[in-house]
Amino acid sequence: MDRSVTLEKSDLNNTNFLENQDYYLNLISELMNIRKRGEVPLAYIHTYGCQQNVADSEKIKGMLSKAGFEFVDGPDDADFILFNTCAVREHAEDRVFGNVGALKKIKKKHPQIMIAVCGCMMEQKHIAERMYNSFPFVSLVFGTHSLQNFPELYYRALFSGKRVYERDNDDKKIYEGIPIKRDGTFKGWLPIMYGCDNFCTYCIVPYVRGRERSRKSADVISEAKELINSGYKDITLLGQNVNSYGKGLDEDITFAKLLGEIDKIPGDYWLRFMTSHPKDCSKELIDTIASGEHISTHLHLPFQSGSDRILKKMNRHYDRKKYLEIINYAKEKIPNLSLTSDIIVGFPGETYEDFKETLSLIREVEFTSLFTFIYSPRVGTPAAKMDDPIPAEEKSKWFQELLAVQEEIAAKRCASMVGKKEKILVESVNKKNNKLQCRNSGNIIVECDGDENLIGTFQTAEITEARNWILKGKLI
Ligand code: SAH
Ligand code: SF4
Ligand code: F3S
């Protein structure tokens, strides 16, 4: 191969960015065709973190599909391995380092394999450098802001045989039209905005995902139509704070309006969204959910802490009273509302008294389920510099206490549903007990006996039994 040839964007007469990227996909396809002597090239994409990352990986898969790749469930037979990483907690990062390290053996056995790491972790300089320096067999490192350049970066690494390291790209435009290969055939993710401007003091997301920017409503609505018309039954609108959707757009739109517009699209489907920030959760939004035809009766509204003192230190811009006001309004307006939340235990300076306020809040609201996290310091965030005197073992005890209280609440909530008839979406078969794994509009798991041909369809079930946070039902 002639390695003296380099290809710069300026070599191409084509001014359209995505067409340029398509050009690289063609080159990748040709190169892989020669290397694999006509056999289909295989990729293994492993995604960590939130649905935003899942949606990004679906775009990378879309681009790779266009270059002729098919996908495998493990790294052993792959020609291209990519880890799309999450930086939100230390534990997530440690797992990535461990799993990338384990690829060394595969690379030794098959030196032709290309290993790449991307995503939120790679937008942190010290982490990306550690990845690049510790693992010489990783050929390609790129951050979240370089997703649209993936074909070009991959091609550069393939063609030159040299390692490519690309992060801190300051191109913050939204690129419409990147191909998407969705993981599911009836559950779909639909990003409506990117980035976050909230700077909660514990959180790394604004640093690794950049400033908040919204997609035009016409683009979102047209993607929603496409999903609904191709049979998607459960569509989740994604953003770090969907309630501030529309800021900076040249149109008169709010999240509630967008949701209302999508809800007008005819079809049999559920519409969900995450995440809602309580500081911007409007009554207009609750009214839209209440009057919606397709909008699920599930509201994920992370409160993080029940203590006003801690909420202030977290820079969350609401207090317990405001949170409860919106929750009570929602409960009043939306029958069968299922509430879920995120909670951080052991934020720097949190005392047991503060923690008890979190417990009392979850008792008062009665959430269906909770995503609970022990605080993890993130380099570069304000909270990482705050005094944190409570030992890890103590935080762990509080955490266990929280889980026990929530288990009791979830069990009570689920028990109250026995005897009710619920519309459910059949999602999969639970291999352990051969039961159909389904979900109701409130996002609660319902297990039923039934034929696996029903996967991807709506059914009705009578709830016969409650087991902690899972319901058992009988198909009607
Ligand atoms: N944008 C969403 C959440 C994104 S991160 C929101 O504002 O709700 C998902 C959850 O991870 C957060 O809600 C928070 O509970 C948790 N989290 C974020 N940073 C964390 C940290 N440093 N330590 C522990 N948990 C954290
Ligand atoms: Fe992080 Fe706060 Fe933004 Fe959510 S709203 S992503 S918790 S900074
Ligand atoms: Fe993780 Fe990035 Fe999402 S840090 S939680 S994957 S936005």
Side-chain angles (χ1 to χ4, degrees):
M1 190 199 308
D2 183 1
R3 291 198 170 153
S4 64
V5 183
T6 56
L7 193 67
E8 295 293 331
K9 247 189 268 175
S10 55
D11 292 339
L12 301 167
N13 287 328
N14 198 335
T15 49
N16 183 301
F17 180 85
L18 288 182
E19 279 180 24
N20 281 353
Q21 297 304 316
D22 272 356
Y23 179 81
Y24 289 112
L25 291 176
N26 273 329
L27 294 176
I28 294 168
S29 165
E30 282 170 21
L31 211 54
M32 290 309 292
N33 195 33
I34 296 167
R35 284 204 182 162
K36 298 271 298 180
R37 300 198 174 89
E39 261 181 56
V40 175
L42 301 174
Y44 169 60
I45 314 293
H46 190 94
T47 309
Y48 299 82
C50 68
Q51 275 72 20
Q52 189 64 64
N53 255 18
V54 174
D56 281 355
S57 288
E58 291 185 335
K59 286 192 178 134
I60 292 174
K61 287 182 192 169
M63 295 187 255
L64 285 168
S65 280
K66 220 168 169 177
F69 277 78
E70 285 181 6
F71 299 92
V72 281
D73 295 333
D76 295 324
D77 303 317
D79 301 289
F80 179 66
I81 299 175
L82 174 77
F83 283 7
N84 188 3
T85 63
C86 168
V88 82
R89 281 170 293 276
E90 195 178 356
H91 177 66
E93 294 193 335
D94 290 345
R95 263 177 46 218
V96 170
F97 276 109
N99 293 350
V100 173
L103 295 177
K104 189 177 176 181
K105 269 197 256 155
I106 296 180
K107 178 75 180 179
K108 209 164 174 187
K109 217 160 113 195
H110 308 289
Q112 283 284 55
I113 281 183
M114 180 168 304
I115 297 172
V117 185
C118 70
C120 294
M121 271 171 79
M122 297 306 112
E123 286 295 345
Q124 300 174 95
K125 189 160 178 267
H126 67 289
I127 297 280
E129 282 176 358
R130 185 177 146 204
M131 183 65 75
Y132 192 76
N133 296 332
S134 324
F135 302 117
F137 54 86
V138 171
S139 304
L140 171 57
V141 163
F142 63 102
T144 55
H145 302 315
S146 301
L147 181 85
Q148 67 280 357
N149 298 67
F150 166 70
E152 180 184 349
L153 300 172
Y154 181 21
Y155 179 72
R156 253 169 46 202
L158 256 185
F159 186 71
S160 69
K162 291 189 185 137
R163 301 176 76 200
V164 171
Y165 176 87
E166 166 107 354
R167 47 172 303 282
D168 224 6
N169 184 343
D170 64 0
D171 180 358
K172 303 288 156 43
K173 281 201 278 304
I174 292 179
Y175 288 91
E176 295 294 346
I178 297 177
I180 303 173
K181 187 183 183 313
R182 298 187 193 274
D183 292 340
T185 51
F186 54 90
K187 270 178 95 133
W189 311 112
L190 204 178
I192 62 167
M193 61 204 294
Y194 303 97
C196 180
D197 283 351
N198 290 307
F199 291 96
C200 303
T201 53
Y202 50 82
C203 184
I204 196 73
V205 172
Y207 305 88
V208 296
R209 285 274 172 186
R211 296 293 55 76
E212 185 182 292
R213 52 225 182 267
S214 296
R215 292 176 71 188
K216 288 191 189 114
S217 63
D219 291 327
V220 174
I221 293 167
S222 112
E223 190 172 331
K225 275 189 188 144
E226 211 179 287
L227 282 166
I228 293 160
N229 293 338
S230 44
Y232 280 81
K233 298 276 182 278
D234 190 327
I235 297 163
T236 305
L237 310 180
L238 295 179
Q240 294 300 343
N241 174 14
V242 291
N243 295 333
S244 67
Y245 171 80
K247 251 198 285 170
L249 280 183
D250 201 10
E251 43 181 318
D252 175 26
I253 188 112
T254 59
F255 177 60
K257 274 191 196 156
L258 177 77
L259 194 62
E261 284 304 310
I262 299 176
D263 185 50
K264 284 185 198 152
I265 304 171
D268 193 13
Y269 62 92
W270 276 334
L271 201 52
R272 303 181 188 277
F273 55 88
M274 63 188 298
T275 298
S276 266
H277 194 307
K279 83 179 162 71
D280 305 309
C281 189
S282 63
K283 289 193 170 162
E284 184 198 6
L285 174 64
I286 305 296
D287 294 342
T288 308
I289 302 172
S291 60
E293 184 184 340
H294 307 97
I295 307 169
S296 71
T297 54
H298 172 208
L299 183 61
H300 180 61
L301 200 61
F303 70 88
Q304 313 296 356
S305 167
S307 150
D308 286 346
R309 199 178 72 84
I310 296 300
L311 285 172
K312 210 165 196 154
K313 288 180 77 175
M314 287 176 162
N315 193 33
R316 290 288 288 179
H317 294 284
Y318 56 85
D319 57 16
R320 183 188 175 100
K321 184 163 164 263
K322 176 163 182 229
Y323 184 81
L324 286 170
E325 250 168 45
I326 195 80
I327 289 283
N328 290 333
Y329 184 76
K331 280 182 174 171
E332 187 190 308
K333 292 277 165 161
I334 309 166
N336 293 326
L337 176 66
S338 164
L339 287 156
T340 57
S341 190
D342 293 352
I343 293 174
I344 296 177
V345 174
F347 183 82
E350 185 177 8
T351 61
Y352 189 65
E353 290 306 306
D354 293 312
F355 171 69
K356 279 205 303 206
E357 301 223 25
T358 296
L359 289 184
S360 77
L361 190 68
I362 65 171
R363 283 205 170 95
E364 185 164 348
V365 176
E366 299 198 322
F367 293 94
T368 310
S369 61
L370 291 175
F371 298 89
T372 46
F373 310 102
I374 293 187
Y375 168 72
S376 167
R378 307 284 63 214
V379 172
T381 61
K385 297 190 201 88
M386 294 177 190
D387 237 12
D388 191 5
I390 303 290
E393 307 80 69
E394 185 67 14
K395 291 185 183 183
S396 186
K397 272 195 223 150
W398 300 358
F399 188 76
Q400 294 308 326
E401 193 177 345
L402 177 69
L403 295 188
V405 171
Q406 177 55 25
E407 208 165 292
E408 204 184 287
I409 295 167
K412 185 175 141 202
R413 268 199 59 86
C414 281
S416 74
M417 295 180 68
V418 173
K420 289 193 175 153
K421 288 193 178 74
E422 291 277 313
K423 179 173 176 175
I424 51 167
L425 178 62
V426 184
E427 292 191 345
S428 58
V429 174
N430 181 345
K431 295 223 169 72
K432 283 188 201 142
N433 58 10
N434 252 344
K435 302 248 185 224
L436 293 179
Q437 188 98 353
C438 319
R439 241 169 240 276
N440 74 354
S441 170
N443 216 27
I444 305 176
I445 295 174
V446 183
E447 276 189 354
C448 303
D449 284 316
D451 192 303
E452 67 179 280
N453 287 331
L454 297 176
I455 291 175
T457 64
F458 282 119
Q459 300 292 329
T460 306
E462 185 180 327
I463 306 303
T464 51
E465 196 186 327
R467 287 242 181 103
N468 296 332
W469 56 91
I470 289 183
L471 299 170
K472 312 250 165 188
K474 204 170 77 197
L475 292 183
I476 300 174

